[in-house]
Amino acid sequence: MKNILTLLLLIPLFSYGQVVDSFPWIHNFDNGIALEQDTANDRDWWLNQGPTGSQLTGPQGDHTTGSGIYYYAEASTNGIGFPNQTFITYTPTFDVSQTPGKMLSFWYHMYGSTMGDLEVGVLDSTGYTAIDTISGNQGTQWKFAHYILPPSNLFKIVFKATTGSSFYSDICIDDIMVSDPFTVVYGCID
């Protein structure tokens, strides 16, 4: 079973056409272009502008300007977006063979009393490696996350949202960047 799962996770790495080898790569969704959806997950991520369709969960607007577009896992889709539904999406493939030592940064919003999890990982030729899991209600503000990426020449970033026990668990991401490492001091970016 584990080998089948690994094989299924590797298919997107080699089947998606775009390869990025110029950095920094920044994606804020304001161009209306979504990331690649996993075909084997429970639900798809959506592009959205303004608040999500549910009260007491989700942001009032995107992180970039407050009026732009963000990407999110909608927990209340006619009662089928919860509980424990998975939403998996992939960035384009990154080739850092000529410029190794990259960093991933992005903003996330996880507001809701029954919030689930946001797992971030890397998919490369050896399989999937989870980097971090953010769990539970994170409040009403957008939060910043950043990670030094593990050494690999060709990889995708994976965002896996899992909804909580009710519709109060919309999970959002915005302003994704793969770049050279930079210093973050007390939540501020230098």
Side-chain angles (χ1 to χ4, degrees):
M1 180 68 172
K2 184 177 180 182
N3 290 338
I4 292 172
L5 179 60
T6 300
L7 179 60
L8 288 174
L9 286 172
L10 288 176
I11 289 171
L13 181 64
F14 301 108
S15 65
Y16 197 57
Q18 183 183 8
V19 175
V20 176
D21 61 2
S22 179
F23 301 94
W25 176 83
I26 301 169
H27 192 64
N28 68 7
F29 303 103
D30 287 345
N31 59 8
I33 298 175
L35 298 179
E36 179 186 5
Q37 302 281 358
D38 187 300
T39 58
N41 63 178
D42 297 319
R43 305 278 170 251
D44 287 341
W45 289 74
W46 295 358
L47 294 168
N48 197 51
Q49 188 172 19
T52 62
S54 307
Q55 294 183 359
L56 302 176
T57 188
Q60 293 304 302
D62 78 325
H63 170 261
T64 315
T65 64
S67 60
I69 298 172
Y70 58 92
Y71 209 39
Y72 86 113
E74 170 61 64
S76 61
T77 310
N78 299 323
I80 58 174
F82 67 88
N84 305 318
Q85 297 292 292
T86 60
F87 300 68
I88 302 172
T89 192
Y90 307 93
T91 64
T93 301
F94 297 105
D95 179 354
V96 298
S97 57
Q98 301 303 310
T99 57
K102 297 297 179 218
M103 178 179 195
L104 165 68
S105 62
F106 63 96
W107 291 83
Y108 65 93
H109 193 283
M110 296 173 64
Y111 168 57
S113 61
T114 59
M115 183 53 61
D117 303 317
L118 176 61
E119 182 177 291
V120 182
V122 172
L123 179 63
D124 63 17
S125 61
T126 64
Y128 175 76
T129 304
I131 297 174
D132 193 16
T133 300
I134 304 164
S135 299
N137 185 357
Q138 302 294 309
T140 60
Q141 301 299 313
W142 285 92
K143 306 281 185 174
F144 183 68
H146 58 95
Y147 308 96
I148 297 296
L149 293 167
S152 182
N153 286 337
L154 199 64
F155 62 90
K156 290 183 178 203
I157 305 298
V158 180
F159 293 94
K160 177 184 175 186
T162 304
T163 57
S165 60
S166 82
F167 68 88
Y168 299 111
S169 57
D170 292 347
I171 299 171
C172 314
I173 57 175
D174 201 4
D175 297 320
I176 304 168
M177 181 168 70
V178 175
S179 66
D180 289 334
F182 54 87
T183 303
V184 178
V185 179
Y186 303 108
C188 297
I189 303 169
D190 283 349

